[in-house]
Amino acid sequence: MPSELLNDYIAGALGGCAGLIIGHPFDTIKVQQQTQSHHGMVSCFKKISSSNLGKGFYRGLTFPLLSSSFINSIFFGVYGNTLNWLKQGNHEKKDTRHYFDVFVAGAVAGAATVIPACPIEVVKVMLQSQIKSVSKPNEKYYRGPWHCLKSIFKESGIRGCYRGLSVHFHRDFLPFGVYMISYEWLHDRISEQAWADERGVAAGLIAGGIAGVIIWGCGIPVDYVKSRLQSDTSKKYKGTVDCVVKSYKSGGIRTFFKGGAVVCLRAFPVNAVTFFVYREILNELNKVNPGVVLGCETVGNV
């Protein structure tokens, strides 16, 4: 692969890692609310904070941090190069077709991450959802990501590592198209404002944060079902429909929005930081290995 095409992969990897470190404590609270009996964000926070950082808010971080560079590299790399392919020789202005291309590229990139990301999500959810309980001393407790992955594979084979795959796909396919078009459109509109800085730092941070809130605010019910399925070691659910029906019977429509508040609270800083780091690193890399220039824009710059 030509070196200039690697820019999106490298920038995406570093941007994703930065966002992950910022957002993992919020993500742990979200998964606990979705998979345990916590009724609110505050009670969940208190429960988790009784442990140290490694066993509390940052439980399950090692595995996704090591793999985050890989997954985000795939997403931003596929996004940038798909957008490049769609735009070759067309529409120098940011018109309707441009934003449609952004949507398609985002959806394709989201779909491309599902297969490698699903086992990582299963392990992360399992580690984040478990609570070592004195009242249940014999309950299985995973010591870490590799112990968790090996145990899942030993008990359920490769299918166990891909629990909730179909729901995971629906969470990451079209929604990531919405995610990228939201970011691009907002970034363009904010950049036009008189108070916006020339480098686009404010536009990138604000657009990234709002785009994150939009995608997670709309996608929390699907994410709830995904978390329930991926943490279901007791085989309580026969499948996605069974999970939806049983969840609704036990808690009504509100149950699908568990963790919604902390998700939206997490989404803004995480996505703001992710896009900021991605853009800054990508701009520096493109100075060394320039991409294909269309009009006044370098391909790969979101």
Side-chain angles (χ1 to χ4, degrees):
M1 178 182 291
S3 58
E4 67 270 13
L5 297 184
L6 291 173
N7 294 352
D8 283 285
Y9 290 92
I10 297 170
L14 296 175
C17 286
L20 182 66
I21 292 172
I22 295 293
H24 195 78
F26 296 96
D27 194 54
T28 298
I29 295 174
K30 181 262 293 183
V31 172
Q32 284 279 321
Q33 283 189 277
Q34 291 176 333
T35 60
Q36 302 297 331
S37 57
H38 302 296
H39 296 294
M41 186 167 60
V42 175
S43 63
C44 187
F45 177 87
K46 290 179 179 178
K47 183 72 175 180
I48 298 172
S49 63
S50 62
S51 305
N52 59 41
L53 285 178
K55 294 181 180 179
F57 293 107
Y58 279 97
R59 66 177 65 177
L61 174 63
T62 305
F63 198 51
L65 185 60
L66 291 174
S67 58
S68 177
S69 58
F70 175 60
I71 298 301
N72 284 282
S73 175
I74 292 175
F75 177 80
F76 283 104
V78 171
Y79 170 76
N81 287 287
T82 301
L83 190 60
N84 181 11
W85 179 75
L86 290 170
K87 293 172 64 175
Q88 286 179 357
N90 294 321
H91 42 86
E92 296 181 0
K93 295 193 303 180
K94 294 196 172 182
D95 54 13
T96 303
R97 176 61 189 272
H98 164 77
Y99 291 115
F100 176 75
D101 287 350
V102 168
F103 171 79
V104 172
V108 171
T113 65
V114 172
I115 295 299
C118 190
I120 296 168
E121 283 283 303
V122 170
V123 171
K124 179 180 72 70
V125 167
M126 290 298 299
L127 291 173
Q128 289 176 316
S129 62
Q130 64 183 5
I131 296 179
K132 202 164 187 177
S133 175
V134 177
S135 61
K136 299 179 180 179
N138 296 323
E139 188 175 46
K140 190 160 190 176
Y141 190 84
Y142 298 110
R143 297 188 298 272
W146 297 114
H147 178 230
C148 180
L149 183 61
K150 287 189 292 185
S151 298
I152 293 171
F153 185 79
K154 184 177 180 179
E155 293 171 4
S156 307
I158 194 68
R159 291 185 64 182
C161 299
Y162 279 92
R163 284 198 299 262
L165 177 63
S166 63
V167 182
H168 193 146
F169 176 80
H170 284 93
R171 190 199 69 170
D172 288 1
F173 176 42
L174 295 180
F176 271 96
V178 175
Y179 177 55
M180 295 309 299
I181 197 174
S182 297
Y183 171 80
E184 178 77 353
W185 186 87
L186 286 166
H187 185 275
D188 292 343
R189 301 291 81 75
I190 295 171
S191 297
E192 295 170 354
Q193 304 304 310
W195 50 265
D197 58 290
E198 292 183 2
R199 287 188 60 200
V201 173
L205 289 171
I206 297 171
I210 295 176
V213 173
I214 289 173
I215 188 176
W216 280 107
C218 297
I220 190 63
V222 179
D223 188 67
Y224 169 84
V225 175
K226 183 189 78 71
S227 293
R228 298 294 294 186
L229 288 172
Q230 291 182 333
S231 64
D232 183 28
T233 54
S234 61
K235 298 181 180 179
K236 176 181 177 181
Y237 306 115
K238 297 177 182 178
T240 302
V241 175
D242 188 51
C243 178
V244 171
V245 171
K246 288 180 177 177
S247 297
Y248 180 77
K249 287 182 178 179
S250 66
I253 196 68
R254 292 182 61 184
T255 196
F256 295 100
F257 291 90
K258 280 185 176 180
V262 72
V263 163
C264 291
L265 184 63
R266 163 188 175 270
F268 192 95
V270 167
N271 289 277
V273 168
T274 297
F275 272 108
F276 173 75
V277 173
Y278 169 70
R279 285 182 62 89
E280 291 299 305
I281 292 177
L282 186 60
N283 285 334
E284 293 302 315
L285 290 174
N286 280 340
K287 291 177 183 177
V288 179
N289 296 308
V292 180
V293 178
L294 300 178
C296 61
E297 179 184 73
T298 300
V299 172
N301 287 1
V302 181

